């Protein structure tokens, strides 16, 4: 029973008097110190193990969280640069609705270039965190819109192609172009010429080409009706992706397979084409114009259409109107064509005079996306999350989800000019703030805003539409 180890285990050191301990074992103080450091080492080992386990747990949770980010899938058909995966979490919320497309990556080709404001399936394919935030936003809202800027050098060509998952609506910003469209069966080919300020429409899966025929570059602002990655197939890619014996049987050329073998796949992507030996290849080009009954299914003279004038600006529209109200005979053809295809867009130009305001409003039946052509302004958005008012200038793209109230102010000495697209092939339905204030009973407003009913008589009813107003 004199074993000090037994005493420590059963009764513990505090129950023993110091004098008795020293009498039983003169070396007990040394042993006590050894015991203390032994216990300390055990504690430290346990503490270190806890820290390591916690760190591993946090790392696993972080990896699981990152792995859960998986936006809708799609296929990227253009060349892109791989960068370190950006994170949208710390980016200003305005980039949910704003894309500085003029600062985005330029995809260069032999005969021109492309820039994009769009969704990408792989987050690494975005150049900046702001681009990522915008792309995820339009995908999350299922906006059915992507915007691209197509530049074709003089005599260059956007080669014959079709889009597998989107209609295309284009606004010719600069230059002149010759358009070709091959309809189903190939028996009808519609060709026509367009100039700056006019609109073209290419339905989904319809083969078309764009040839720049002016002395200056052709620039087209294109809206595509998808919020996923745009899927496009060029005719040359379809050709070289088909076995040579199948090509020979389908085309039946002189020389058969041997003729097919004379086609050599270029090293460079020919999406926008301008061969250096073009003059040797082509010596007789004509730019025919088809009959209006065919052309106006795919074309609209927006700059020549009716102007809707307001105190602070004006609007012009390429859109569907029920029963063709207010449209001429050619415009009715376009209107009906637009309405007959699924997922088409309403295009319009919005010009706001200096210091003018497109008053707060929202759309019942469409998302809206726009591109700033000239001028500068401020945009405000009131929706399901707070967004500070933000500035826009030439080359910026903005996005307003359906039902989200928004306004646009012109803040430069020059007019603010924009091309906008709304996701409807029916009549666009819009409600302005002044209209819904006047449409709401004043006693309802009094109860809502805690103001006397007669106070709301101070809000005038205008005889002239104030959709775009001046102070």
């Amino acid at each position: 029973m004199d074993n000090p180890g037994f005493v420590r285990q059963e009764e513990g050191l505090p129950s023993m008097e110091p004098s008795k301990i020293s009498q039983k074992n003169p070396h007990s103080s040394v042993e006590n110190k050894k015991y203390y450091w032994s216990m300390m080492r055990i504690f430290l080992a346990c503490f270190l193990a806890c820290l390591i386990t916690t760190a591993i747990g946090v790392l696993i949770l972080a990896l699981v969280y990152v792995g859960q980010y998986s936006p809708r899938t799609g296929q990227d058909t253009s060349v892109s640069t791989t960068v370190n995966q950006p994170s949208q979490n710390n980016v200003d919320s305005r980039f949910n609705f704003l894309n500085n497309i003029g600062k985005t990556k330029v995809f260069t080709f032999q005969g021109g270039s492309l820039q994009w404001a769009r969704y990408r399936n792989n987050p690494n394919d975005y150049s900046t965190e702001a681009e990522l935030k915008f792309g995820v936003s339009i995908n999350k809202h299922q906006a059915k819109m992507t915007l691209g800027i197509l530049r074709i050098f003089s005599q260059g060509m956007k080669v014959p192609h079709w889009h597998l998952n989107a209609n295309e609506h284009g606004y010719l910003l600069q230059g002149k172009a010759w358009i070709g469209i091959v309809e189903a069966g190939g028996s009808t080919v519609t060709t026509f010429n367009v100039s700056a300020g006019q609109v073209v429409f290419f339905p989904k899966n319809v083969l078309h080409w764009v040839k720049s025929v002016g002395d200056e570059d052709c620039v087209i602002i294109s809206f595509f009706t998808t919020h996923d990655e745009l899927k496009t197939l060029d005719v040359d890619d379809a050709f070289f992706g088909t076995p040579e014996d199948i090509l020979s049987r389908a085309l039946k050329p002189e020389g058969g397979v041997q003729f097919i073998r004379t086609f050599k796949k270029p090293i460079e992507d020919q999406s926008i084409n301008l061969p250096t030996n073009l003059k040797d290849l082509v010596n007789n080009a004509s730019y025919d114009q088809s009959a209006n009954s065919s052309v106006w299914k795919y074309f609209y003279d927006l700059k020549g259409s009716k102007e809707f004038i307001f105190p602070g600006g004006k609007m012009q529209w390429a859109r569907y109107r029920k029963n063709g109200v207010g449209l001429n005979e050619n415009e009715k053809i376009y209107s009906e064509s637009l309405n007959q295809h699924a997922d088409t867009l309403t295009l319009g130009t919005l010009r706001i005079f200096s210091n003018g305001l497109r008053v707060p409003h929202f759309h019942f039946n469409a998302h809206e996306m726009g591109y700033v052509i000239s001028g500068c302004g401020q945009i405000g958005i009131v929706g399901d999350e707070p967004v500070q008012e933000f500035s826009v200038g030439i080359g910026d793209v903005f996005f307003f989800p359906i039902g989200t109230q928004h306004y646009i102010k012109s803040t430069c000495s020059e007019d603010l000019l924009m091309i906008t697209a709304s996701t409807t092939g029916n009549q666009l339905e819009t409600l302005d703030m002044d209209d819904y204030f006047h449409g709401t009973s004043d006693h309802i407003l009094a109860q809502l805003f805690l103001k006397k009913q007669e106070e709301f008589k101070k809000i005038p009813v205008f005889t002239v539409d104030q959709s775009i107003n001046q102070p």
Side-chain angles (χ1 to χ4, degrees), residues 141-172:
H141 286 96
Q142 299 187 37
K144 290 189 176 180
M145 255 191 299
T146 288
L147 187 145
I149 302 176
L150 169 64
R151 178 179 293 274
I152 309 175
F153 302 149
S154 177
Q155 300 308 309
M157 177 178 66
K158 181 68 179 77
V159 302
H161 65 283
W162 63 92
H163 306 295
L164 284 68
N165 63 337
N167 300 306
E168 178 182 359
H169 295 256
Y171 174 81
L172 192 62

Side-chain angles (χ1 to χ4, degrees), residues 11 79 156 217 225 318 324 367 371 428 452 467:
E11 298 179 355
V79 182
D217 293 352
T225 60
H367 302 281
Y371 174 87
L428 181 62
K452 291 184 178 180
S467 289

Side-chain angles (χ1 to χ4, degrees), residues 179-412:
I179 307 294
I181 296 173
V182 182
E183 298 184 19
S187 59
T188 303
V189 179
T190 302
T191 57
F192 54 94
N193 295 275
V194 295
S195 58
Q198 296 175 324
V199 165
V200 292
F201 166 51
F202 305 128
K204 181 169 59 176
N205 290 321
V206 169
L207 187 144
H208 56 280
W209 69 79
V210 183
K211 166 78 173 178
S212 177
V213 296
D215 295 329
E216 61 179 341
D217 293 352
C218 179
V219 179
I220 301 177
I221 309 300
S222 289
F223 298 89
F224 301 90
T225 60
T226 180
H227 49 261
D228 291 319
E229 281 191 312
L230 181 64
K231 299 178 181 179
T232 300
L233 187 60
D234 293 344
V235 165
D236 60 326
D237 292 328
F239 180 90
F240 289 113
T242 305
E244 59 183 23
D245 61 319
I246 301 299
L247 291 171
S248 178
R249 290 184 60 177
L251 301 177
K252 298 187 182 302
E254 294 182 14
V257 172
Q258 295 304 318
F259 175 79
I260 296 299
R261 288 173 179 170
T262 63
F263 288 77
K264 303 299 180 183
K265 186 175 183 179
I267 298 176
E268 293 184 53
D269 190 332
Q270 294 294 301
S271 182
I272 310 175
N273 170 288
L274 185 57
T276 55
N277 61 337
L278 183 60
K279 290 183 179 180
D280 297 331
L281 300 173
V282 178
N283 53 34
N284 184 21
S286 60
Y287 306 118
D288 301 324
Q289 183 88 4
S290 299
N292 283 348
S293 58
S294 296
V295 170
W296 279 79
K297 291 189 296 183
Y298 310 107
F299 164 86
Y300 196 90
D301 184 14
L302 183 57
K303 69 177 181 180
S305 65
K306 178 181 178 180
E307 293 184 338
F308 295 85
I309 308 296
F310 304 90
K314 59 184 178 181
M315 301 179 189
Q316 290 179 284
W317 296 102
R319 62 178 174 176
Y320 169 74
R321 298 297 301 273
K322 292 179 181 178
N323 301 317
V325 174
L327 304 178
N328 63 37
E329 292 305 311
N330 285 331
E331 291 172 342
K332 289 179 182 178
I333 297 172
Y334 180 86
S335 174
E336 291 302 319
S337 175
L338 205 65
N339 188 247
Q340 289 170 5
H341 289 87
D343 296 330
T344 51
L345 302 177
T346 293
L347 259 63
T349 51
L350 171 60
R351 181 181 293 274
I352 305 177
F353 304 149
S354 179
N355 206 33
L357 171 71
R358 176 65 180 99
V359 301
H361 65 283
F362 65 95
H363 306 297
F364 286 65
N365 61 337
H367 302 281
E368 180 181 358
M369 188 176 287
Y371 174 87
V372 179
I373 297 172
S374 61
C376 60
Q378 293 287 117
I379 286 178
I381 297 176
V382 180
D384 59 356
E385 58 181 292
V387 182
Q388 290 188 342
E389 187 180 72
F390 57 86
S391 300
V392 292
I394 297 173
D396 284 338
V397 174
F398 52 85
F399 167 59
F400 305 133
I402 188 170
T404 300
Q405 182 168 283
H406 52 278
Y407 60 83
I408 308 173
K409 294 188 295 184
S410 176
T411 55
C412 290

Side-chain angles (χ1 to χ4, degrees), residues 395-449:
D396 284 338
V397 174
F398 52 85
F399 167 59
F400 305 133
I402 188 170
T404 300
Q405 182 168 283
H406 52 278
Y407 60 83
I408 308 173
K409 294 188 295 184
S410 176
T411 55
C412 290
S413 58
E414 63 176 317
D415 295 350
L416 175 59
L417 177 62
M418 295 153 284
I419 176 73
T420 67
S422 302
T423 56
T424 180
N426 293 315
Q427 281 195 186
L428 181 62
E429 298 176 356
T430 301
L431 186 61
D432 292 349
M433 175 179 277
D434 60 324
D435 291 329
Y436 70 69
F437 256 75
H438 290 304
T440 304
S441 299
D442 54 10
H443 64 84
I444 297 296
L445 293 173
Q447 182 173 338
L448 171 63
F449 290 104

